[in-house]
Amino acid sequence: MDIEKFRQNAHELVDWMADYLRDLEEYPVRAQVSPGEILKQLPSNPPSRSDSFEEIFDDFQKIVLPGMTHWQHPSFFAYFPANSSPPSVLAEMVTATIGAQCMSWETSPAAAELEQRMMEWLREIIGLPSEFQGVIQDSASSATLCAILSAREVATDWRVNRAGLSGEPDMVVYGSTECHSSVEKNVKIAGLGKKNFRKIQVTDTFAIDTRALVDAIERDKAEGRLPICMVAALGSTSSSAIDPLLDIADICKRYRLWLHVDAAWAGSALVDPELRWMIDGIEGVDSFVFNPHKWLFTNFDCSAYFVRSPDALLKTLSILPEYLKSEGGEAVRNYRDWGVPLGRRFRALKLWFVLRSYGIEQLRKMIRTHIDYAQELALEIGAERDFELLAPTPLALVCFRYRPTKVASPVELDSVNERIVKEINDSGAAYLTHTRLNGAYAIRISIGQAGTKQHHVKNLWSRVKQTARGIRLVV
Ligand SMILES: *Cc1c(COP(=O)(O)O)cnc(C)c1O
């Protein structure tokens, strides 16, 4: 593809992109295909001769697009959002065009310095104290791994980095039963062993029971284990529960645990100063992660990891082989030392485009709107006699179920609610997912797409009621 052909294709593609974003609502939200349906349309072998861009793009529309779930659809209410915005997409086009690999300052000084500044902007936007220093990671999972590795090294004075785990006491990591699955995965990756991960019980709001946390730490200490890290959930994935940070920080200080905050989704809501009660206790936090790629209109991937002291992180992860020695010395940041991968995409550019395009005011308004829609929806659900809320709605996630008086058995209730979710998702009109709360099947409605308006939420709620009440119950 020569440059003039590239120019022509790119212009056409941009037109397609704008049409796609304009016409998103015409697509079914969740892909309506069965397993293997796409695979069987793809030739088993790579082409030996070149295909034209027209042919490739034609196949993209015919084969690939029907197998895509449209995450930017305004009726996407599943999981948590991975939202985006036009300025973010434009920045990604530039990033891909320049194609820089931003592992160190020297490999693109502007990328390193823009990243530093964007992390300072984000820190201010969400109200973190000024000592925190940030780095962009690919995911919250990776950031939490860095936190656990740092905790392990601080607790052993970097002995594990030097000599491995043998001879060390069992090191214990704590989180609630509702904390994200990445915590357990990272405990395993860090070599600490799943048996040394404590899932602490929660209270009726699904936030961690801090008395049970203290008991577990005491028990571990009494039995010769070394408690090293607590991962607090600020907005748990299942039900958006918010762990009480102030109490947890106190406990971590008392027992000298590294305190990591996983605010992957909810962190973006801190753009609203009225929600900063969630980070009461931040003074006692060692590290904090949130994903602008979830709820801050910056397309995947972009996860912001903040640490109180970069020293511990750098001492844990930095290495300097001869072939990576570069210009700049102490005066520059080499972000390769701030995370696991060496190679790094230029992710700061899209944040810069997004933060400047909207400004704090507009970002706050957009997120506040999502929260307002969710609060209203929760009120409406709570007011219906045959529906019940199954968790509090502090932010923009509503967990509930249909509970007709005729159905008494828990198994029946689960299956009726499962059918509601399946019917709506199969219709393509909206997409929602579920969780389990206290053992019960709960429908989750998570509101956070850039294009979601009040009527999308209202339509969904009508559809849920209609679908639920239309199910013929066999009693
Ligand atoms: C989504 C989520 C994660 C995982 O985020 P990734 O960036 O995909 O690794 C972790 N914790 C919480 C609370 C989440 O909601």
Side-chain angles (χ1 to χ4, degrees), residues 80 138-142 180 182 234-237 262-265 291 293-294 300 303:
F80 277 143
D138 58 355
S139 64
S141 301
S142 297
H180 193 262
S182 58
L234 228 69
S236 66
T237 314
D262 176 4
W265 167 72
N291 289 349
H293 74 226
K294 272 188 167 152
F300 191 82
S303 181

Side-chain angles (χ1 to χ4, degrees), residues 268-450:
S268 295
L270 294 168
V271 64
D272 182 353
E274 282 178 28
L275 294 168
R276 304 249 169 97
W277 56 266
M278 291 193 288
I279 49 167
D280 270 355
I282 191 74
E283 297 70 27
V285 168
D286 296 291
S287 55
F288 181 101
V289 65
F290 89 103
N291 289 349
H293 74 226
K294 272 188 167 152
W295 199 9
L296 207 64
F297 314 99
T298 307
N299 69 282
F300 191 82
D301 53 354
C302 182
S303 181
Y305 180 51
F306 291 94
V307 288
R308 177 173 298 281
S309 140
D311 281 0
L313 178 65
L314 293 174
K315 220 170 139 191
T316 301
L317 296 179
S318 78
I319 42 156
L320 190 55
E322 191 58 37
Y323 53 80
L324 286 179
K325 286 188 180 153
S326 60
E327 299 277 308
E330 294 282 292
V332 304
R333 285 201 180 175
N334 293 312
Y335 281 113
R336 61 159 197 257
D337 294 333
W338 294 59
V340 174
L342 170 62
R344 311 180 73 247
R345 306 179 61 233
F346 184 14
R347 301 191 190 90
L349 192 71
K350 59 189 171 188
L351 265 178
W352 196 46
F353 276 35
V354 169
L355 299 180
R356 292 186 61 187
S357 291
Y358 293 103
I360 301 177
E361 293 292 312
Q362 187 69 18
L363 292 172
R364 184 178 298 153
K365 232 164 81 189
M366 292 193 291
I367 286 182
R368 193 66 241 180
T369 304
H370 292 152
I371 295 173
D372 290 345
Y373 293 164
Q375 305 293 319
E376 276 169 47
L377 176 63
L379 281 178
E380 288 188 37
I381 292 173
E384 296 288 338
R385 294 175 67 177
D386 51 352
F387 281 87
E388 66 178 347
L389 292 166
L390 292 179
T393 307
L395 300 167
L397 173 70
V398 188
C399 298
F400 67 102
R401 70 173 167 180
Y402 178 47
R403 189 178 193 170
T405 44
K406 276 185 285 187
V407 182
S409 112
V411 178
E412 278 287 298
L413 270 180
D414 286 358
S415 87
V416 167
N417 281 279
E418 222 174 309
R419 270 186 63 187
I420 298 168
V421 170
K422 181 170 172 9
E423 280 187 29
I424 290 175
N425 293 345
D426 285 351
S427 79
Y431 185 21
L432 31 126
T433 48
H434 77 281
T435 187
R436 272 191 190 272
L437 294 168
N438 291 326
Y441 186 100
I443 303 177
R444 289 169 87 260
I445 294 180
S446 149
I447 301 172
Q449 287 315 122

Side-chain angles (χ1 to χ4, degrees), residues 81-132:
N83 70 20
S84 179
S85 62
S88 181
V89 175
L90 293 176
E92 281 286 41
M93 289 164 69
V94 178
T95 297
T97 304
I98 297 179
Q101 202 273 55
C102 307
M103 59 185 172
S104 60
W105 180 84
E106 187 180 314
T107 60
S108 273
E113 292 179 17
L114 188 63
E115 181 161 342
Q116 181 176 345
R117 189 63 86 213
M118 287 309 98
M119 289 299 96
E120 290 163 7
W121 284 13
L122 276 186
R123 179 179 71 200
E124 183 177 325
I125 284 174
I126 65 166
L128 290 186
S130 59
E131 340 45 294
F132 279 91

